[in-house]
Amino acid sequence: MTKAASAAAKDLAAAGVTGVQIAWADNNGIPRSRIVPITGLADAAARGVGVTTLFAVFDTHDAISYAHEGLSTPSGDVRVVPDIDRLRRLAGQPALAWAPGTIVRGEDGGPWPYCQRTLLTGAVTAAARRGYHLRAGYELEFAVAPAGSPDVASAPGHPGPAYSPHALIPLDDFVAALLHDLAGNGLRVGQLHAEYGLAQLELSLSATDPVAAADDQLLARQTIHAAAHACGLRVSFAPLVDANAAGNGWHLHTSLWRDGHNLLAGSDGPGPAGAAYLAGLLRDLPALTAVTAPSVPSTLRLRPGYFASAYAFWGVQNREAPLRYVPGTPYLGAEHANVELKPSDASANPYLALAAVLTCGLAGVDDQLVPPNPVDADPGTWTARRRKSHGIERLPTGPAEQAAALAASARVSGTLGAELLGAFQAARASDLAWAQGKTVDEIVAAHLWRY
């Protein structure tokens, strides 16, 4: 790896690159990074760059929690190692290159139990040994505002209408720069459009293996931020940008494969194994959302009637369903079949989210679960009695309910492991303590530019 890093550094330096940004995501979904000079890339690849162990217990507002026993003091150092195979020159920041980082122990370079990328890599490897392969891709929603704007509502970056080409005309330079930079950074994009929410856009990233999908998510948000800055704009990926508007979801599409066959594909819906995968996600959905939508405003976003999925059920192409089954068709092909997890947003660590999804889905396959009948309506419009008769319950409505759901699920909490679970819980408890006594508007404003 050192030899490859040296060769890459030489080529990048000749092209005018002066530094490499090594990025990772913390337990709040917030990207963190170190920049090393291009001349130091080979050394960073061999020995990593030192960072504090306390990044695992940062909360969303950069407060450090010492509540987790394993990281209860300011002493300790680990190393962040760039993945040279994923090294990219940033098209929108041409003096910099970018690589995702894996955090290892400082004393011997061995696995650090708090590294989410290591956790996902291990889960993917374990699944592959059993013959299973997951494909995953993100849809990213974000709101646009002029640079320097304190919020989105007072100065929306586009006036709408939703889904209209007219909405994007004021953002023409940004759209052009963004598509150029995404392609230059090696990110394959399905589409980009004006979305339903306030000054909202959405782009979809093509499906790939889970670790690459998580890496791509981090790189995409870096690319979007840089393109917006270059065009005099700023973007918000926050779950809510206004208390009365539809929020930003980062919908996670997955499909499970074995022997080259998409197990979610079938002439009348998913086959037995694919259905069991979907049922596994549904069984642990309350605990999953504690990982995939974990911030204080995340649960505020999950309201009935906002295409945000407030109740636990699944449906075929039902955009109110938290688990939306997208079938393959003769027109699109069997490989198109997937499950969209809608209670997912930018406050989730993507590596952690994908590890939990993979584990819960495969547990459903192992247990040969059979999902209930799909729902083609919005249960939010039903009476409580009718929802109860269909076994449909509300997803957690606040951090305390999410914490209880996570603690009650041996599969989700077991995926994280004792150390990472403890750090994750400490960050969530710190966020909850911060939010006590604050209004919804205060909570929304404090999260607006965090991601």
Side-chain angles (χ1 to χ4, degrees), residues 66-419:
Y66 292 98
H68 171 54
E69 184 177 355
L71 299 172
S72 59
T73 77
S75 299
D77 198 65
V78 286
R79 312 291 290 183
V80 119
V81 181
D83 185 338
I84 300 302
D85 290 336
R86 296 282 295 165
L87 184 66
R88 301 284 187 275
R89 185 183 186 185
L90 292 173
Q93 299 171 270
L96 290 177
W98 179 96
T102 297
I103 303 178
V104 301
R105 293 196 304 255
E107 61 270 22
D108 59 7
W112 190 49
Y114 299 95
C115 177
Q116 302 92 344
R117 194 170 190 263
T118 298
L119 176 75
L120 177 58
T121 301
V124 169
T125 300
R129 290 196 196 102
R130 300 175 54 199
Y132 293 107
H133 302 275
L134 194 74
R135 290 182 60 78
Y138 274 93
E139 291 177 350
L140 312 182
E141 292 178 340
F142 55 96
V144 183
S149 174
D151 56 47
V152 178
S154 63
H158 75 72
Y163 312 111
S164 169
H166 304 155
L168 295 182
I169 289 176
L171 300 176
D172 191 55
D173 290 346
F174 171 57
V175 169
L178 181 55
L179 292 175
H180 172 272
D181 293 351
L182 289 166
N185 291 345
L187 294 169
R188 293 182 298 126
V189 174
Q191 52 78 36
L192 170 69
H193 66 270
E195 249 293 342
Y196 184 75
L198 177 67
Q200 191 178 58
L201 275 68
E202 179 185 277
L203 67 85
S204 60
L205 299 174
S206 297
T208 182
D209 72 89
V211 178
D215 291 344
D216 286 352
Q217 192 243 59
L218 290 186
L219 179 54
R221 77 166 86 182
Q222 175 77 15
T223 306
I224 296 166
H225 273 303
H229 177 76
C231 295
L233 302 168
R234 68 192 308 192
V235 297
S236 175
F237 298 125
L240 280 181
V241 300
D242 183 88
N244 299 310
N248 292 320
W250 283 23
H251 306 153
L252 178 54
H253 292 256
T254 61
S255 57
L256 187 66
W257 295 68
R258 188 167 195 178
D259 298 327
H261 175 62
N262 184 353
L263 299 179
L264 286 164
S267 57
D268 297 312
Y277 171 81
L278 191 155
L281 300 181
L282 183 60
R283 174 174 62 181
D284 281 308
L285 191 59
L288 269 179
T289 62
V291 175
T292 62
S295 69
V296 174
S298 292
T299 50
L300 298 176
R301 182 182 77 87
L302 304 182
R303 300 166 290 180
Y306 282 81
F307 284 177
S309 309
Y311 295 93
F313 68 100
W314 77 283
V316 180
Q317 294 288 28
N318 184 343
R319 283 175 168 77
E320 276 290 347
L323 292 171
R324 171 183 166 235
Y325 174 64
V326 183
T329 66
Y331 183 53
L332 297 175
E335 68 277 4
H336 184 74
N338 68 85
V339 175
E340 177 189 30
L341 174 67
K342 294 178 73 69
S344 170
D345 61 48
S347 69
N349 180 291
Y351 305 97
L352 210 54
L354 278 160
V357 165
L358 175 58
T359 300
C360 292
L362 282 180
V365 176
D366 291 341
D367 294 342
Q368 298 181 330
L369 297 184
V370 177
N373 291 330
V375 175
D376 63 1
D378 176 8
T381 64
W382 297 356
T383 64
R385 182 175 181 179
R386 185 180 179 190
R387 284 193 295 268
K388 185 176 181 180
S389 70
H390 284 74
I392 296 175
E393 298 182 354
R394 187 80 154 85
L395 288 172
T397 59
E401 289 186 14
Q402 283 192 330
L406 179 58
S409 172
R411 281 171 293 273
V412 180
S413 58
T415 298
L416 275 63
E419 294 95 339

Side-chain angles (χ1 to χ4, degrees), residues 416-441:
L416 275 63
E419 294 95 339
L420 186 45
L421 175 64
F424 184 83
Q425 290 173 321
R428 301 285 68 76
S430 184
D431 275 0
L432 179 56
W434 169 90
Q436 296 302 311
K438 292 183 172 63
T439 67
V440 171
D441 287 338

Side-chain angles (χ1 to χ4, degrees), residues 8-18 38 89 94-96:
K10 183 178 179 180
D11 291 342
L12 288 169
V17 172
T18 58
I38 193 64
R89 185 183 186 185
L96 290 177

